[in-house]
Amino acid sequence: MQITSALPIAKMVGSNRVVLGNGIVHVAGDPNLPVNEEKDLRRRLVQKALDALESEAKE
Amino acid sequence: MKIVHYVNQFFGGIGAEEEAGRPLEIREGAVGPGRLLEQLFGDGSQVLTTFVCGDNYAVEQQDQLITDVLNHLRASGADLFVAGPCFEAGRYGMAAGALCSAVQAELHIPAVTAMGGENPGVDLYREELFIVDSGASASAMSQVVTRMVALGKKLVAGEEIGTPADEGYIPRGLIRDAFVEQNAGQRLVAMVMDKVNGDPFESEMMSTSFEPIPMPAAVADISKARVMVITDGGLVPSGNPDGIEGMAATRWGTYSIKDKDGLDGKDYEISHGGYDPRFVEADPDRLVPLDALRQMEKEGIIGELHNEFISTSGLANPLSNTRRMGKEMAQRVKELGVDAVIVTST
């Protein structure tokens, strides 16, 4: 699976499990958040990625 | 001109699909379309050798085929290697492309082939080879071979090769400096006008086609799975030990995260010329989310986090390059017994 903020590229090349990241320059983070909240955000994102890996993707 | 020619079992006159398993045969002189080659090259040109091989064998035993052809060619004194034309025959095109590519790179003998635009060999080899656009139909054989001959003559003579449109080969994606009458803005407006008016126009960019990727099965139970992170965001240890290029990268690296609960910016740098790296350099977990994954490993949400990550730089890279690296990474991931990969892309 892929975490990316460049969704059109992921679609173009045919990635089939994609989770939208939190920005090109910090795909799994947010420097505007306090550290703990940023860690929570990252954890939620990774959890989504793991959920995607466990899901049967459809064409 | 001394030519060596490659054809598949069909054009070699052996048979159709039922003979696709036939191994490489080396025949003296011209066979099938090779006779047309000789005739069109003229001036006493000769096809010294024709390699004939079944399409299945050629793809399944590609390394062996390449080795055998190179070994034979080395002592042949050939001026030019020709493969095909292959039209839309996919396996034939892949073999022709692989052989032309190897002959050019290893023996520095110019090579020319021909394929239809949808042939998978085009996607794989058009950046490195002159592939004449054959169209889909073998009934165009003589026109196609005529263009191959014209191109072959120029290649052997070391003459400058014109544009794809002038010479009839499939665009290689090369950019060449040239003087033009109209600047980009003027050409753009002209193109928009044509489009609005419903007139024909030709884009200056070539569209790339991507084959569909088969859907990988879901991970049955992520709490038992071995998970690995790959990134194309160019995260490398300080000093960039593998020299991964910041654009059009040809290399990728594997970096240990053993005993680490998170990534420290002072240990890493970004080799990627396509985005502002400051946020990731300040905290590389923003690209390779090690802190979250490590915690989830401890909590048993994932079975195990593989103790290294793979990194390269995904910027302005020819597809042939990225495909090669992707295959190499996939191979590595398989060998490591990894069950699931998270790829983070900038």
Side-chain angles (χ1 to χ4, degrees):
Chain A
M1 72 77 49
Q2 186 181 20
I3 305 178
T4 180
S5 293
L7 194 58
I9 298 177
K11 279 187 175 167
M12 179 181 76
V13 301
S15 293
N16 30 43
R17 286 184 177 88
V18 182
V19 166
L20 191 60
N22 198 53
I24 303 261
V25 294
H26 37 67
V27 68
D30 186 346
N32 296 315
L33 293 176
V35 172
N36 282 342
E37 286 179 40
E38 185 182 13
K39 280 189 181 292
D40 287 346
L41 173 143
R42 180 151 54 244
R43 166 120 185 184
R44 286 196 303 276
L45 194 71
V46 171
Q47 185 62 55
K48 261 198 211 171
L50 298 175
D51 293 345
L53 285 166
E54 275 189 309
S55 311
E56 280 306 339
K58 290 179 278 289
E59 295 286 339
Chain B
M1 180 96 67
K2 290 180 196 141
I3 304 146
V4 170
H5 190 207
Y6 176 83
V7 293
N8 71 353
Q9 86 281 358
F10 179 74
F11 287 100
I14 295 176
E17 195 55 38
E18 72 281 359
E19 299 290 349
R22 285 286 276 258
L24 179 68
E25 287 177 27
I26 300 171
R27 299 201 196 157
E28 258 179 61
V31 174
R35 299 198 184 94
L36 190 57
L37 271 177
E38 269 183 350
Q39 187 194 326
L40 291 170
F41 266 109
D43 277 341
S45 292
Q46 239 192 321
V47 173
L48 303 173
T49 307
T50 305
F51 296 104
V52 187
C53 187
D55 280 334
N56 285 345
Y57 180 92
V59 170
E60 287 161 12
Q61 309 289 334
Q62 185 174 295
D63 292 345
Q64 188 61 49
L65 174 69
I66 290 173
T67 307
D68 291 346
V69 167
L70 289 182
N71 282 343
H72 192 277
L73 260 177
R74 218 164 255 131
S76 68
D79 302 306
L80 180 72
F81 181 74
V82 178
C86 312
F87 305 99
E88 295 291 8
R91 288 162 298 174
Y92 191 11
M94 309 244 280
L99 285 170
C100 287
S101 165
V103 166
Q104 263 186 190
E106 305 276 327
L107 307 181
H108 309 289
I109 297 172
V112 62
T113 180
M115 305 179 200
E118 300 303 315
N119 195 309
V122 168
D123 236 17
L124 283 170
Y125 296 105
R126 71 176 161 80
E127 286 170 5
E128 49 194 295
L129 298 178
F130 286 103
I131 305 175
V132 167
D133 188 351
S134 69
S137 166
S139 65
M141 180 65 85
S142 71
Q143 293 103 292
V144 174
V145 175
T146 302
R147 283 208 295 270
M148 293 170 88
V149 166
L151 204 51
K153 279 183 179 167
K154 284 192 174 181
L155 285 171
V156 171
E159 286 174 36
E160 194 179 333
I161 308 295
T163 63
D166 291 342
E167 307 272 3
Y169 63 90
I170 293 173
R172 298 177 60 180
L174 303 177
I175 297 172
R176 212 184 310 197
D177 288 332
F179 289 103
V180 290
E181 297 282 316
Q182 292 189 309
N183 68 28
Q186 292 167 320
R187 301 201 303 279
L188 173 74
V189 170
M191 210 182 285
V192 169
M193 294 304 288
D194 284 341
K195 186 167 187 175
V196 169
N197 293 331
D199 293 332
F201 62 93
E202 214 169 300
S203 171
E204 295 180 15
M205 297 286 287
M206 109 185 100
S207 65
T208 309
S209 63
F210 293 93
E211 285 173 57
I213 301 169
M215 196 70 65
V219 177
D221 183 355
I222 202 82
S223 72
K224 295 198 171 63
R226 188 158 190 202
V227 179
M228 182 176 190
V229 179
I230 298 180
T231 187
D232 61 34
L235 186 72
V236 294
S238 299
N240 192 5
D242 295 310
I244 293 172
E245 306 90 328
M247 74 181 284
T250 57
R251 291 188 281 277
W252 52 278
T254 308
Y255 304 112
S256 176
I257 45 174
K258 196 165 180 282
D259 302 327
K260 287 187 183 184
D261 289 331
L263 298 176
D264 190 333
K266 70 177 183 343
D267 301 332
Y268 293 91
E269 63 184 60
I270 295 292
S271 177
H272 190 304
Y275 72 100
D276 182 348
R278 286 174 298 173
F279 303 106
V280 175
E281 284 179 341
D283 180 1
D285 292 283
R286 288 172 178 151
L287 182 65
V288 174
L290 173 60
D291 55 354
L293 280 163
R294 189 64 85 199
Q295 206 183 346
M296 292 163 118
E297 181 186 38
K298 284 179 183 153
E299 292 170 19
I301 295 173
I302 58 171
E304 185 192 345
L305 181 62
H306 179 69
N307 63 14
E308 47 197 0
F309 71 92
I310 287 177
S311 179
T312 189
S313 166
L315 175 67
N317 213 332
L319 273 176
S320 53
N321 231 1
T322 50
R323 284 189 171 129
R324 170 185 56 79
M325 290 197 288
K327 279 183 190 150
E328 290 168 0
M329 289 178 197
Q331 183 60 34
R332 179 67 180 269
V333 165
K334 268 190 195 167
E335 287 163 7
L336 292 170
V338 166
D339 302 303
V341 173
I342 296 175
V343 178
T344 63
S345 298
T346 48

